[in-house]
C-alpha cells in the first residue's frame, strides 16, 4: 500500500500563474518519502544512529498537470525495489479522486556517513517499508547526456539557504538553480535530474546551458569539468503529454 498524505496548494508554493511550482512538487515528493521513513521508524534519528544516509542519485518527474492555488492534492510514495546499495522509489501527485497529476521515479544510494562510501542495504534498514509494484510510466535512463556546445552563465556561490540537514545542497535547490535558465513561457512536461557529487557551503557553481529543440539541459558544475548535478527540462504540449 502506498504511503500518502493530503494537502492543499499554498500561495507560497505557486508561481506567477498560481500553479504549483516544479520545485514545490519535488519538495512534496521528498517530504512524502521522509514522512514514510519516520512513520516506519527508519527516519533521520535511525539513520543518524547507524551513521547512514539515503542520497538521491536521480529523479524523473512526468507532469500531466500542475495543480492550482487552493487545489486539494494527495501525495504518494512507495519503494518498489532494494538491491545491494540502492533503493528505487516511485512517487505520484493526485487529485482528491485519485486522478494522477504527476508521476515520478527516483533512484537512491545508501551511504556510510563516515567513509562517504555506499554500503549494503540490510533487512533491518528497510524493515517497515511496504513494497509495491512499479508505477505504470515511461522509464528513462538515470544518466543525462549534455551536448557539445553549451553556453556558460555567470558562476555563483552556494549559500546557507541552499543547504539541508546533511550540510550539502538540497536536491530541490539544484532544480531551482537550473530553472533560472529556462526560456520564458517554457512549460516543463518532464524533468530529469542526475546528481553526481555534493556541493557544500561556499562552493562555486558554474552553470552551462544546452538547448536542443524542446529540451533544455543545465549542467551545474565545479568549473573543472565535473558536474554537481545535471538537470534536464523537456517541454511537450500545453499541459504535458506523459501518461
Amino acid at each position: 500500500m502506498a504511503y500518502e498524505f493530503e494537502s492543499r496548494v499554498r500561495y507560497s508554493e505557486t508561481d506567477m500563474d498560481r500553479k504549483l511550482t516544479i520545485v514545490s512538487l519535488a519538495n512534496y515528493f521528498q517530504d512524502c518519502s521522509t514522512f514514510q521513513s519516520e512513520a516506519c521508524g527508519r527516519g533521520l534519528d535511525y539513520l543518524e544512529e547507524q551513521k547512514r544516509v539515503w542520497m538521491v542519485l536521480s529523479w524523473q518527474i512526468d507532469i500531466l498537470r500542475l495543480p492550482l492555488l487552493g487545489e486539494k492534492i494527495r501525495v504518494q510514495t512507495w519503494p518498489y525495489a532494494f538491491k545491494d546499495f540502492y533503493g528505487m522509489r516511485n512517487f505520484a501527485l493526485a487529485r482528491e479522486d485519485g486522478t494522477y497529476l504527476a508521476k515520478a521515479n527516483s533512484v537512491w544510494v545508501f551511504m556510510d556517513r563516515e567513509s562517504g562510501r555506499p554500503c549494503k542495504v540490510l533487512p533491518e534498514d528497510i524493515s517497515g517499508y511496504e513494497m509495491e509494484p512499479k508505477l505504470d510510466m515511461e522509464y528513462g535512463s538515470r544518466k543525462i547526456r549534455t551536448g557539445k556546445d553549451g553556453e556558460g552563465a555567470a558562476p555563483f556561490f552556494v549559500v546557507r539557504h541552499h543547504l539541508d540537514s546533511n550540510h550539502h545542497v538540497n536536491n530541490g535547490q539544484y532544480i531551482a538553480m537550473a530553472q533560472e535558465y529556462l526560456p520564458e513561457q517554457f512549460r516543463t512536461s518532464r524533468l530529469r535530474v542526475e546528481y553526481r557529487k555534493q556541493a557544500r557551503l561556499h562552493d562555486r557553481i558554474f552553470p552551462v546551458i544546452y538547448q536542443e529543440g524542446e529540451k533544455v539541459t543545465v549542467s551545474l558544475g565545479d568549473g573543472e569539468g565535473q558536474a554537481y548535478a545535471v538537470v534536464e527540462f523537456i517541454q511537450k504540449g500545453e499541459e504535458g503529454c506523459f501518461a
Side-chain angles (χ1 to χ4, degrees):
M1 183 176 180
Y3 179 89
E4 74 170 38
F5 72 93
E6 296 181 352
S7 188
R8 189 178 181 191
V9 177
R10 300 165 176 84
Y11 182 76
S12 59
E13 299 167 339
T14 60
D15 60 16
M16 292 183 289
D17 297 321
R18 293 182 287 178
K19 293 180 179 180
L20 184 73
T21 68
I22 294 175
V23 174
S24 296
L25 173 59
N27 286 338
Y28 265 122
F29 286 161
Q30 289 186 79
D31 289 343
C32 194
S33 61
T34 301
F35 291 161
Q36 184 184 32
S37 296
E38 294 291 333
C40 69
R42 293 299 177 265
L44 297 179
D45 288 343
Y46 172 83
L47 293 171
E48 189 171 342
E49 289 173 4
Q50 302 300 316
K51 297 181 172 58
R52 299 287 189 264
V53 62
W54 281 105
M55 298 184 64
V56 65
L57 294 178
S58 67
W59 277 107
Q60 177 186 320
I61 302 176
D62 290 352
I63 301 167
L64 286 79
R65 179 177 72 80
L66 290 169
L68 296 169
L69 171 66
E71 192 167 346
K72 293 182 179 180
I73 54 175
R74 295 161 58 187
V75 191
Q76 304 169 332
T77 189
W78 61 93
Y80 63 84
F82 291 101
K83 184 177 181 182
D84 298 329
F85 315 117
Y86 303 103
M88 278 65 80
R89 178 182 283 275
N90 282 136
F91 295 84
L93 185 73
R95 296 173 57 187
E96 282 187 291
D97 63 5
T99 304
Y100 285 126
L101 297 168
K103 300 178 180 180
N105 184 52
S106 60
V107 180
W108 303 71
V109 62
F110 202 48
M111 300 286 291
D112 185 301
R113 284 180 179 269
E114 295 184 337
S115 69
R117 298 177 64 85
C119 51
K120 193 164 185 177
V121 179
L122 301 176
E124 54 265 33
D125 297 320
I126 56 175
S127 175
Y129 291 113
E130 291 188 29
M131 305 283 282
E132 293 289 332
K134 289 177 69 172
L135 185 61
D136 182 16
M137 61 180 287
E138 181 181 321
Y139 288 80
S141 169
R142 74 175 181 87
K143 298 288 185 180
I144 300 176
R145 294 184 178 181
T146 58
K148 293 182 179 179
D149 300 316
E151 180 179 348
F156 56 89
F157 288 99
V158 173
V159 294
R160 287 192 181 96
H161 78 79
H162 293 136
L163 307 181
D164 59 20
S165 61
N166 295 312
H167 304 287
H168 55 68
V169 175
N170 180 265
N171 310 327
Q173 290 289 339
Y174 289 107
I175 300 171
M177 294 171 183
Q179 205 171 19
E180 290 298 313
Y181 306 102
L182 290 176
E184 287 189 28
Q185 304 305 316
F186 189 97
R187 296 188 178 187
T188 303
S189 293
R190 172 171 287 169
L191 169 73
R192 296 171 63 219
V193 189
E194 180 189 353
Y195 300 96
R196 297 185 180 178
K197 70 173 190 172
Q198 299 173 29
R200 300 182 181 275
L201 187 63
H202 305 314
D203 282 342
R204 203 175 187 193
I205 292 181
F206 293 77
V208 181
I209 301 94
Y210 305 84
Q211 185 160 4
E212 180 184 351
E214 298 296 291
K215 179 172 70 175
V216 176
T217 306
V218 181
S219 175
L220 300 167
D222 61 4
E224 298 180 359
Q226 294 191 44
Y228 294 110
V230 181
V231 187
E232 178 187 270
F233 304 89
I234 298 176
Q235 176 177 249
K236 279 195 174 184
E238 288 271 323
E239 290 286 352
C241 66
F242 296 107

